[in-house]
Amino acid sequence: MDLDDAQDWAWCDSQFAAIETYLKTQQIPHGMICDWPEWYTAPYVGLWAVENPEDPGFVGHWILAGDSTGVQPQPVPFDHLSATDLPEPRDAMAAFARKWTTLAAAANKGIAWQGSPELSGDLATKAKQLSRQAQLLALWAADDELWYVD
């Protein structure tokens, strides 16, 4: 699905409100939420930087935010990681892929997880969905053409 610039903007804007809610629900301490994702593919997923309240101007957490509009039948779940050892967005994307691969492998063995990411449904379905999404995140993280080098 290709969106024009106005649709991209509208989607990212709707995600911003969902991220605010997610941060509050997860009780993640934060400063400013960047007003635009560091990386995204609308209308599926975006990677957002959230300021560290103890070190203003620096990223404290990375938020991976799937579609919050309800349009996607199996949306990418919302999740977060500390940015302490993940200074770049690409590093964060790869870390989410590793985390989700580990969670999916455990779920395939019948081991459920608590916390983020939250998925509904039975454990086998969760594992399959999360595994597919982890593979896609890993592909995106590995693709040099998707990341700008400053």
Side-chain angles (χ1 to χ4, degrees), residues 14 29 85 109 126 150:
S14 72
D85 296 321
K109 295 176 183 175
K126 287 180 185 183
D150 291 338

Side-chain angles (χ1 to χ4, degrees), residues 10 27 47 67 72 85 90 92 111-112 115 133 139 145 148:
Q27 299 179 353
L47 180 65
D67 181 47
Q72 302 303 319
D85 296 321
R90 188 175 188 177
I111 303 168
Q133 291 171 338
L139 287 172
E145 292 183 16
Y148 298 109

Side-chain angles (χ1 to χ4, degrees), residues 12-13 37-39 48 54 63 109:
C12 288
D13 190 49
E38 295 293 319
W39 181 93
W48 298 72
E54 295 175 9
I63 307 298
K109 295 176 183 175

Side-chain angles (χ1 to χ4, degrees), residues 87-108:
E88 298 296 326
R90 188 175 188 177
D91 299 331
M93 182 74 76
F96 280 113
R98 289 189 301 272
K99 176 184 177 184
W100 291 8
T101 297
T102 300
L103 290 174
N108 275 327

Side-chain angles (χ1 to χ4, degrees), residues 8-143:
D8 267 1
W9 187 88
W11 185 80
C12 288
D13 190 49
S14 72
Q15 291 298 96
F16 189 85
I19 291 164
E20 287 179 313
T21 300
Y22 176 78
L23 290 168
K24 185 177 181 179
T25 301
Q26 295 293 314
Q27 299 179 353
I28 298 170
H30 65 281
M32 287 182 25
I33 303 167
C34 287
D35 59 356
W36 197 257
E38 295 293 319
W39 181 93
Y40 73 99
T41 181
Y44 305 106
V45 64
L47 180 65
W48 298 72
V50 178
E51 184 180 54
N52 183 344
E54 295 175 9
D55 198 2
F58 292 92
V59 179
H61 283 88
W62 294 105
I63 307 298
L64 192 69
D67 181 47
S68 64
T69 64
V71 173
Q72 302 303 319
Q74 292 183 328
V76 173
F78 277 57
D79 199 0
H80 65 278
L81 289 172
S82 169
T84 300
D85 296 321
L86 304 169
E88 298 296 326
R90 188 175 188 177
D91 299 331
M93 182 74 76
F96 280 113
R98 289 189 301 272
K99 176 184 177 184
W100 291 8
T101 297
T102 300
L103 290 174
N108 275 327
K109 295 176 183 175
I111 303 168
W113 66 86
Q114 298 295 321
S116 195
E118 295 178 11
L119 298 174
S120 59
D122 68 271
L123 196 55
T125 301
K126 287 180 185 183
K128 186 176 179 181
Q129 178 182 347
L130 203 60
S131 178
R132 283 192 319 261
Q133 291 171 338
Q135 290 171 1
L136 188 53
L137 294 179
L139 287 172
W140 284 332
D143 190 338

